[in-house]
Amino acid sequence: MKKLVCILVAGLILSSLALDARRLNVSSLCSTIREYRYKEGFEAISIGRLGLSLAGFAVRAGADGDEDAQMAAALVKGLKKVIVVEFESARETDKAAFCRDVERHLKGSELLMEVNDSEEHLSIYGVVSADGSNLSDMVIYGEEGFMVVLSGCIPMEAVGSIVEGC
């Protein structure tokens, strides 16, 4: 799994050189998530600014010169919201409707990377700044039953540090 994450992050960095993406509509995705979050088989966790600030503070407080902890703090610092949705155990009709709605919201957004293996399909959408220094409003979407929405700004230096650490 660690290798997969490293490959994904490396691809994001490489793809950032030539991207001119339109912004993702995170608010419309959030509305769809709110619509489905109480249906059977859907689990959603949302962490806002306060929770992310507390997490960043905890990471910085425990860093004591640890490069990995400093890198994690840099990643968390620019985020406004993180939403994790798991819908693998949802009814097939609800899952299909949710996927249609998500894909409708993502249509026209910049696809940064797609990963296929024998069992899963993963798509990563996001916005890379024109100068390639920041990654924002990223969505990691697996039709098989999960989605992660990251709203905010992540410095590419921090993303690059993750790749180097792999």
Side-chain angles (χ1 to χ4, degrees), residues 32-46:
T32 297
I33 292 167
R34 277 192 299 276
E35 181 183 333
Y36 285 89
R37 79 181 306 161
Y38 297 110
K39 293 188 180 223
E40 188 176 332
F42 282 83
E43 299 288 334
I45 298 171
S46 179

Side-chain angles (χ1 to χ4, degrees), residues 148-166:
V148 179
V149 179
L150 301 169
S151 178
C153 185
I154 302 169
M156 290 303 270
E157 286 179 3
V159 176
S161 296
I162 292 173
V163 173
E164 289 174 10
C166 293

Side-chain angles (χ1 to χ4, degrees), residues 62 113 165:
M113 179 177 285

Side-chain angles (χ1 to χ4, degrees), residues 93-107:
T93 55
D94 290 339
K95 188 187 292 191
F98 180 75
C99 288
R100 267 193 315 276
D101 288 347
V102 167
E103 289 165 8
R104 180 174 42 90
H105 293 305
L106 293 174
K107 185 175 183 176

Side-chain angles (χ1 to χ4, degrees), residues 1 12 19 24 31 40 47 52 65 81 100 116 142 158:
M1 183 65 172
L12 288 173
L19 291 179
L24 289 168
S31 295
E40 188 176 332
I47 304 169
L52 290 167
K81 181 186 281 190
R100 267 193 315 276
N116 290 305

Side-chain angles (χ1 to χ4, degrees), residues 54-99:
L54 292 172
F57 176 75
V59 169
R60 283 188 298 280
D64 286 339
D66 180 12
E67 290 181 27
D68 290 338
Q70 291 172 354
M71 177 182 50
L75 287 170
V76 171
K77 184 179 180 182
L79 291 176
K80 298 177 194 171
K81 181 186 281 190
V82 175
I83 303 170
V84 179
V85 182
E86 189 276 324
F87 55 96
E88 189 174 24
S89 59
R91 291 187 326 208
E92 287 302 316
T93 55
D94 290 339
K95 188 187 292 191
F98 180 75
C99 288

Side-chain angles (χ1 to χ4, degrees), residues 1 4 88 115-123 142-146:
M1 183 65 172
L4 178 63
E88 189 174 24
V115 177
N116 290 305
D117 78 15
S118 59
E119 298 175 16
E120 293 186 2
H121 176 86
L122 180 71
S123 301
E143 296 171 357
E144 293 77 21
F146 75 94

